[in-house]
């Protein structure tokens, strides 16, 4: 099932006062039609002016409507007042850190303006590496956790493959072979080619990532992580 973006945008504008909405941003694979598939979720970020206790309840009512119940919508709610208080360089949504702020600078604007693009932040290579190291370790840990849980085979393969691909993408950013702004323009086929030419993975590892066998995907995930450790150590 797909989300009608215009309809979803209208629902947000009819739920909140216009003066409160700083931004409604749309991002991710479905937004940019790159690397998306039938399991891809819909990623949004709603930036409101300041906290009101009824906000989450209003959003919950939207997302539990019949038209959205069977769709994987990832709606992030943050407040400008909170963001300003912490400062952009301390940006965080759950485990998403300032490198994600950089990613949001390239989002599609559905309502308002892109606050992140209008207030960009800059990092040194060392700072960016630290954020990326955190993400690679997190994705690797997620794979380990999934392998130890009783997930269905289909779901397990899909999620481990997803996180392995994310590890690869983060590694390329860490090593300056890919910029955050290019995430939404490069297919995984292109990323495999960049990684192979940079000798971060072999062609056989790329084939293992594409495999339908859990054991093959796990083997590729481990090979990628070992390569990351070599680069980290240097």
């Amino acid at each position: 099932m797909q989300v009608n973006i215009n309809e979803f945008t209208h629902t947000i504008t009819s739920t909140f006062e216009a003066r409160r909405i700083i931004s409604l941003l749309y991002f991710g694979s479905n937004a940019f039609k790159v690397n998306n598939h039938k399991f891809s979720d819909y990623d949004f970020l709603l930036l409101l002016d300041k906290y009101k206790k009824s906000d989450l309840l209003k959003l919950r009512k939207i997302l539990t409507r019949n038209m959205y119940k069977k769709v994987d919508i990832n709606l992030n709610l943050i407040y400008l007042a909170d963001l300003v208080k912490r400062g952009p360089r301390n940006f965080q949504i759950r485990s998403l850190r300032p490198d994600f702020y950089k990613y949001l600078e390239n989002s599609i604007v559905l309502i308002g303006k892109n606050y992140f693009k209008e207030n960009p932040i800059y990092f040194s290579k060392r700072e960016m590496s630290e954020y990326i190291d955190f993400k690679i370790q997190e994705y690797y840990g997620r794979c380990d956790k999934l392998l130890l849980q009783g997930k269905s085979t289909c779901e397990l393969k899909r999620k481990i493959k997803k996180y392995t691909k994310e590890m690869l993408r983060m590694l390329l950013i860490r090593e300056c072979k890919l910029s955050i702004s290019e995430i939404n323009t490069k297919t995984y086929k292109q990323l495999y080619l960049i990684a192979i030419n940079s000798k971060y993975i072999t062609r056989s590892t790329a084939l293992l990532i594409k495999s339908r066998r859990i054991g093959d995907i796990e083997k590729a995930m481990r090979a990628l992580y070992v390569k990351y450790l070599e680069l980290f150590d240097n």
Side-chain angles (χ1 to χ4, degrees):
M1 185 175 178
Q2 295 184 329
V3 172
N4 184 312
I5 301 302
N6 290 332
E7 187 177 75
F8 183 78
T9 301
H10 175 72
T11 301
I12 296 295
T13 56
S14 62
T15 300
F16 297 95
E17 299 172 63
R19 65 179 180 81
R20 294 197 61 210
I21 304 175
I22 311 300
S23 306
L24 176 63
L25 304 179
Y26 183 31
F27 56 92
S29 55
N30 263 322
F32 295 99
K33 308 303 179 188
V34 176
N35 301 315
N36 59 317
H37 50 77
K38 66 179 181 179
F39 295 111
S40 296
D41 55 8
Y42 288 81
D43 297 296
F44 302 96
L45 183 138
L46 177 61
L47 178 62
L48 296 178
D49 56 351
K50 58 184 178 180
Y51 172 80
K52 282 192 177 182
K53 65 179 181 180
S54 60
D55 290 340
L56 284 173
L57 181 58
K58 288 179 179 178
L59 290 175
R60 177 177 171 78
K61 287 181 178 179
I62 292 173
L63 298 180
T64 53
R65 292 179 183 178
N66 287 335
M67 67 181 75
Y68 299 129
K69 279 185 177 179
K70 296 183 179 180
V71 185
D72 190 359
I73 294 181
N74 181 23
L75 177 58
N76 301 276
L77 170 63
I78 62 175
Y79 296 101
L80 179 60
D82 296 348
L83 177 57
V84 171
K85 189 74 173 178
R86 279 179 59 87
R89 298 186 73 84
N90 295 312
F91 178 84
Q92 185 172 352
I93 303 177
R94 299 180 301 278
S95 63
L96 302 173
R97 304 174 79 192
D99 55 304
F100 188 66
Y101 185 110
K102 294 295 298 178
Y103 177 75
L104 290 172
E105 291 177 11
N106 301 286
S107 298
I108 296 172
V109 180
L110 299 178
I111 304 174
K113 58 186 179 181
N114 189 335
Y115 173 87
F116 305 92
K117 186 175 183 178
E118 293 188 357
N119 299 273
I121 52 177
Y122 303 95
F123 302 110
S124 66
K125 185 178 184 302
R126 180 177 178 179
E127 287 176 312
M128 184 57 71
S129 291
E130 289 176 354
Y131 293 128
I132 298 302
D133 287 339
F134 176 88
K135 292 304 297 181
I136 292 175
Q137 192 65 41
E138 183 198 11
Y139 289 136
Y140 185 74
R142 286 188 186 187
C143 289
D144 274 359
K145 183 177 181 179
L146 285 167
L147 284 164
L148 295 173
Q149 292 177 336
K151 300 288 184 181
S152 67
T153 301
C154 182
E155 183 182 8
L156 184 61
K157 285 188 294 187
R158 178 168 57 85
K159 288 190 173 182
I160 291 181
K161 185 172 292 192
K162 172 185 175 180
Y163 294 135
T164 300
K165 289 177 177 179
E166 287 299 324
M167 283 173 58
L168 176 61
R169 188 154 60 183
M170 290 298 105
L171 179 63
L172 292 177
I173 293 174
R174 185 186 191 276
E175 299 303 310
C176 300
K177 302 297 182 181
L178 179 73
S179 67
I180 290 181
S181 62
E182 290 179 303
I183 287 177
N184 298 315
T185 65
K186 300 291 186 183
T187 66
Y188 282 121
K189 184 177 181 180
Q190 291 172 312
L191 297 184
Y192 294 147
L193 187 59
I194 294 171
I196 290 169
N197 290 338
S198 301
K199 301 188 184 304
Y200 297 147
I201 62 172
T202 62
R203 293 188 181 278
S204 60
T205 299
L207 290 174
L208 289 174
I209 297 175
K210 302 174 188 178
S211 174
R212 295 184 178 183
R213 297 174 55 189
I214 293 176
D216 289 344
I217 304 170
E218 194 274 338
K219 185 177 180 181
M221 180 264 292
R222 181 61 195 180
L224 182 60
Y225 186 67
V226 168
K227 184 61 183 180
Y228 159 71
L229 290 178
E230 291 176 4
L231 295 167
F232 180 85
D233 192 46
N234 292 326

